[in-house]
Amino acid sequence: MTIPDYLDPSLTPAQRAADLIPRMTLAEKAGLLFHPQTELPSSVGLSEERAAEIARQDVTDKLISHFNVLNGTSAVEVAAWTNRLQEQAAETRLGIPITFSSDPRNGYRSTPFTGQSIDELSKWPEPIGLGAIGDPERAREFGDTVRREFLSMGMRVYLGPMADLYTEPRWSRGFGTFGEDVRIVSELTRAFIAGLRGGPRLGSSSVAAVLKHFPGGGPQKDGNDAVDSRFPDQVYPGGMQDLHLRPFRDAIADGVTQVMTYYGRPLGTDWEEVGFAFNAPVVRELLRGRLGYQGIVMSDWNVVGTAVIEGKVFGPNAYGVEDATIEERLGIALANGVDQFGGDTLTDELARVVRDGLISEARLDESVQRLLLEKFRLGIFEQRYVDLDTARAVGSDPGLAQKGRRAQADAMVLLSGAEGGILPLRPLTRIYAEGVDLAGVEHEFVAVDSPADADIALVQLDSPWEPDPASPLGDYFRTGTLEFPDATVAHVRELAARAPVVLFVYLERPAVLTSLLPHVGAVIGHFGASERVILDALAGGTQFGSRLPFDLPRSMAAVEAAREDVPFDTEDPLFRTGDGQVLRLDAPSAARAEG
């Protein structure tokens, strides 16, 4: 029996796609254009039977063949689930394999909306920490680590990196960027994508990157993110659209194959005041036209329909086209050049769009071809299943874990204390700790229960944020003031009256440290670091030398007066991008940060 050309790996991806597309029904084509989530049963409280039934409906009935794996507790568990769904896909008429994707899995923070970490995988600082290190080779190393771990779990698409510029200090998603400096962001974005690719071009050992959030999600009005339907607006009071485009332009020139548009609607520009997925000047004229991009364009999640995530109804974030029907929204986005819709499963509605003539089947075929070419280039037809033993080994690889810990340590920024003689701490130093569990990790210090008995008070704080009871997404997106509460400042001052304070701050957001700085002997900013890494840093295991990837403002008044799209725009910042003291240490404990 002669196999069809689309199953012949000796042919080019273009030849295989040309053979497959005419074989496909409208329903099979429509299924390719949606990229919803799939949830593992053990992580969401579903029975195996119910979870399998939900997957069957999407894979067998709706013929969807792209899924974002939303959860999972181990690499082998995720691998078993992707294999299970691949078996279902293999039983469909054409046997088109599934392309699995995921948001980040290696971060310090874990949320269902921006990336759920798996504890056994290597644990890295947030991408903003790679911006602090500032070395493209380290970003490439991170991308290569993600590539190995994703491949072992059957995931072939990484929903990132974020090429957005962190120009609005209040923005809740800035921690996922590489920082405020456009040159560094562009260099690290390209290097990370190269690590994911694992070679000069996309192939069977690659993970495809989805460059996001086009045309740059940083300039959110007042720092409120457009993922929340109360805050749809993106603004450019400084007229800096082109600056925010630069990392995207550079990555596109490097050959990135997938780009995601963001939710926001731009105000006060020559673009349409509608969400970017529906914005012809942005997608059709700028991305497809001026930048000459020929790859896949994916919308962000649920810009057309709705989904339920963690019990919360999410979407549609159809800014500016809220009054349009689902079919009209699909037609507008496709006409502008969008190829795939994140989160939604509206296959019947898309088929109606074609049958009713809102778009032609020939236009649909353009998107189908792009999506099939990606599957063929990644070799998914030949390698749809993964080996569970490999997933188990890669998921707990000590070498990869060591790279992550080293990056956590190297990303730390010493803001003050290099000249104070406090660091490094000697063995048997008596430490009173808050925010760090001294009992949970091996160290050479003496833990005490009262600051009155301590040589040093160790305090770790998160960057400030304010809970928002009205938020439809809970507290997953941290917003509000960047200033520490008066009670926190008073408490640190009281501790300092009893023992010198060494302060670690998780700089998920650019915290205003002005009120705390006079009361502490040393301040170290980190971007996701374990207690083990923090204690090793105290003991001399960290050769401080990284630099701030953004300005730290002096006050909230300065933040509120700054322009959302302009980097380095807060007046007289307390610390500037690139600041960071150097403290070269030679301590026996230094090896522990790498071991």
Side-chain angles (χ1 to χ4, degrees):
M1 179 178 177
T2 304
I3 64 168
D5 284 353
Y6 76 88
L7 293 177
D8 185 351
S10 69
L11 299 179
T12 67
Q15 289 172 322
R16 298 174 74 178
D19 177 70
L20 180 52
I21 292 173
R23 301 174 185 269
M24 299 177 71
T25 65
L26 179 56
E28 287 164 336
K29 294 175 181 179
L32 276 177
L33 269 67
F34 294 95
H35 196 139
Q37 62 270 9
T38 178
E39 297 182 283
L40 280 71
S42 66
S43 301
V44 293
L46 292 176
S47 67
E48 288 278 347
E49 293 75 15
R50 178 56 184 153
E53 175 59 19
I54 293 171
R56 188 200 62 76
Q57 291 171 1
D58 285 337
V59 175
T60 305
D61 297 346
K62 295 193 173 187
L63 299 169
I64 291 172
S65 66
H66 295 81
F67 288 95
N68 170 18
V69 181
L70 197 62
N71 47 19
T73 58
S74 70
V76 71
E77 181 191 29
V78 172
W81 185 247
T82 61
N83 280 348
R84 183 168 184 172
L85 269 62
Q86 291 287 20
E87 290 173 354
Q88 293 182 346
E91 294 174 357
T92 61
R93 186 178 73 91
L94 294 173
I96 296 174
I98 296 170
T99 304
F100 288 102
S101 70
S102 178
D103 280 309
R105 290 292 186 157
N106 305 80
Y108 185 73
R109 280 197 62 200
S110 181
T111 86
F113 292 99
T114 59
Q116 291 174 292
S117 298
I118 293 178
D119 287 341
E120 75 172 10
L121 298 181
S122 61
K123 194 69 90 177
W124 292 67
E126 297 296 347
I128 194 69
L130 274 296
I133 295 172
D135 181 359
E137 176 55 29
R138 299 299 292 279
R140 189 210 61 78
E141 179 184 58
F142 182 29
D144 180 69
T145 299
V146 171
R147 180 182 66 85
R148 295 192 214 176
E149 292 177 340
F150 269 45
L151 286 174
S152 77
M153 295 183 285
M155 299 192 294
R156 303 305 306 277
V157 172
Y158 181 85
L159 297 172
M162 291 175 62
D164 314 284
L165 301 182
Y166 199 176
T167 54
E168 166 49 68
R170 292 167 290 184
W171 187 31
S172 61
R173 298 199 62 182
F175 67 92
T177 75
F178 291 121
E180 191 168 3
D181 187 308
V182 67
R183 178 189 62 82
I184 292 174
V185 171
S186 180
E187 289 180 355
L188 299 191
T189 296
R190 294 160 61 201
F192 179 80
I193 293 171
L196 287 178
R197 195 168 53 234
R201 63 184 60 84
L202 213 61
S204 60
S205 296
S206 300
V207 168
V210 179
L211 187 70
K212 63 184 188 183
H213 303 86
F214 192 82
Q220 302 292 311
K221 187 177 188 301
D222 299 326
N224 293 311
D225 194 84
V227 71
D228 186 328
S229 59
R230 297 174 298 167
F231 308 116
D233 298 333
Q234 192 161 309
V235 294
Y236 297 87
M240 291 284 189
Q241 294 105 305
D242 282 347
L243 182 75
H244 286 262
L245 284 171
R246 177 176 156 186
F248 294 90
R249 183 192 67 211
D250 293 348
I252 288 169
D254 267 6
V256 71
T257 59
Q258 300 196 41
V259 170
M260 180 186 290
T261 57
Y262 206 38
Y263 295 111
R265 66 176 179 194
L267 299 185
T269 71
D270 55 357
W271 296 334
E272 291 183 34
E273 292 187 355
V274 298
F276 288 121
F278 309 105
N279 204 307
V282 171
V283 179
R284 185 169 65 219
E285 298 169 19
L286 174 58
L287 181 57
R288 293 292 193 197
R290 190 174 116 201
L291 299 183
Y293 175 67
Q294 299 299 313
I296 296 165
V297 177
M298 182 193 304
S299 79
D300 213 324
W301 255 234
N302 301 109
V303 299
V304 178
T306 61
V308 177
I309 301 176
E310 296 256 317
K312 302 178 188 299
V313 177
F314 181 67
N317 290 3
Y319 305 137
V321 293
E322 292 93 343
D323 294 335
T325 66
I326 285 176
E327 288 80 3
E328 287 169 340
R329 291 176 200 157
L330 291 168
I332 292 168
L334 287 165
N336 290 339
V338 171
D339 297 304
Q340 193 174 65
F341 299 91
D344 291 317
T345 61
L346 304 167
T347 54
D348 291 341
E349 291 84 347
L350 180 55
R352 278 199 297 273
V353 168
V354 176
R355 285 196 297 266
D356 293 347
L358 288 177
I359 64 161
S360 67
E361 190 162 357
R363 166 63 193 90
L364 188 70
D365 287 351
E366 292 176 11
S367 294
V368 169
Q369 182 184 43
R370 292 187 183 110
L371 294 159
L372 288 176
L373 286 175
E374 194 85 335
K375 287 181 185 286
F376 289 129
R377 289 174 184 138
L378 291 170
I380 302 175
F381 276 80
E382 289 71 56
Q383 300 175 19
R384 73 171 72 211
Y385 302 112
V386 290
D387 179 71
L388 298 189
D389 288 337
T390 299
R392 187 175 291 106
V394 173
S396 56
D397 187 327
L400 299 181
Q402 176 182 322
K403 290 180 180 181
R405 286 196 300 273
R406 190 174 67 244
Q408 292 176 41
D410 290 347
M412 289 182 177
V413 178
L414 182 62
L415 295 171
S416 71
E419 305 303 325
I422 293 179
L423 300 176
L425 302 185
R426 297 180 180 277
L428 303 182
T429 297
R430 293 172 298 172
I431 297 179
Y432 169 78
E434 294 182 355
V436 177
D437 181 9
L438 295 181
V441 62
E442 181 183 352
H443 59 82
E444 299 174 349
F445 306 123
V446 177
V448 297
D449 295 329
S450 168
D453 300 325
D455 301 314
I456 291 291
L458 167 62
V459 177
Q460 180 182 218
L461 297 173
D462 283 1
S463 294
W465 60 282
E466 295 174 287
D468 182 358
S471 171
L473 306 177
D475 290 328
Y476 288 121
F477 294 88
R478 294 179 174 178
T479 59
T481 185
L482 296 163
E483 290 182 334
F484 287 95
D486 291 343
T488 299
V489 177
H491 179 61
V492 171
R493 184 170 58 242
E494 291 170 3
L495 290 176
R498 293 168 172 81
V501 173
V502 176
L503 176 65
F504 282 79
V505 181
Y506 171 42
L507 291 176
E508 173 191 24
R509 310 175 75 212
V512 176
L513 298 173
T514 309
S515 58
L516 288 173
L517 201 59
H519 309 300
V520 298
V523 180
I524 298 98
H526 74 87
F527 305 92
S530 70
E531 291 171 327
R532 171 183 176 179
V533 169
I534 286 173
L535 291 175
D536 276 347
L538 286 177
T542 294
Q543 306 293 298
F544 293 106
S546 286
R547 306 291 183 174
L548 275 177
F550 44 53
D551 287 358
L552 293 185
R554 188 171 294 273
S555 68
M556 276 304 293
V559 171
E560 291 160 358
R563 294 163 292 181
E564 287 93 336
D565 64 322
V566 181
F568 321 121
D569 200 44
T570 58
E571 182 180 2
D572 188 25
L574 187 66
F575 294 100
R576 293 190 177 276
T577 301
D579 281 355
Q581 297 182 352
V582 176
L583 187 62
R584 298 300 183 194
L585 305 171
D586 183 17
S589 59
R592 288 205 308 273
E594 298 199 8

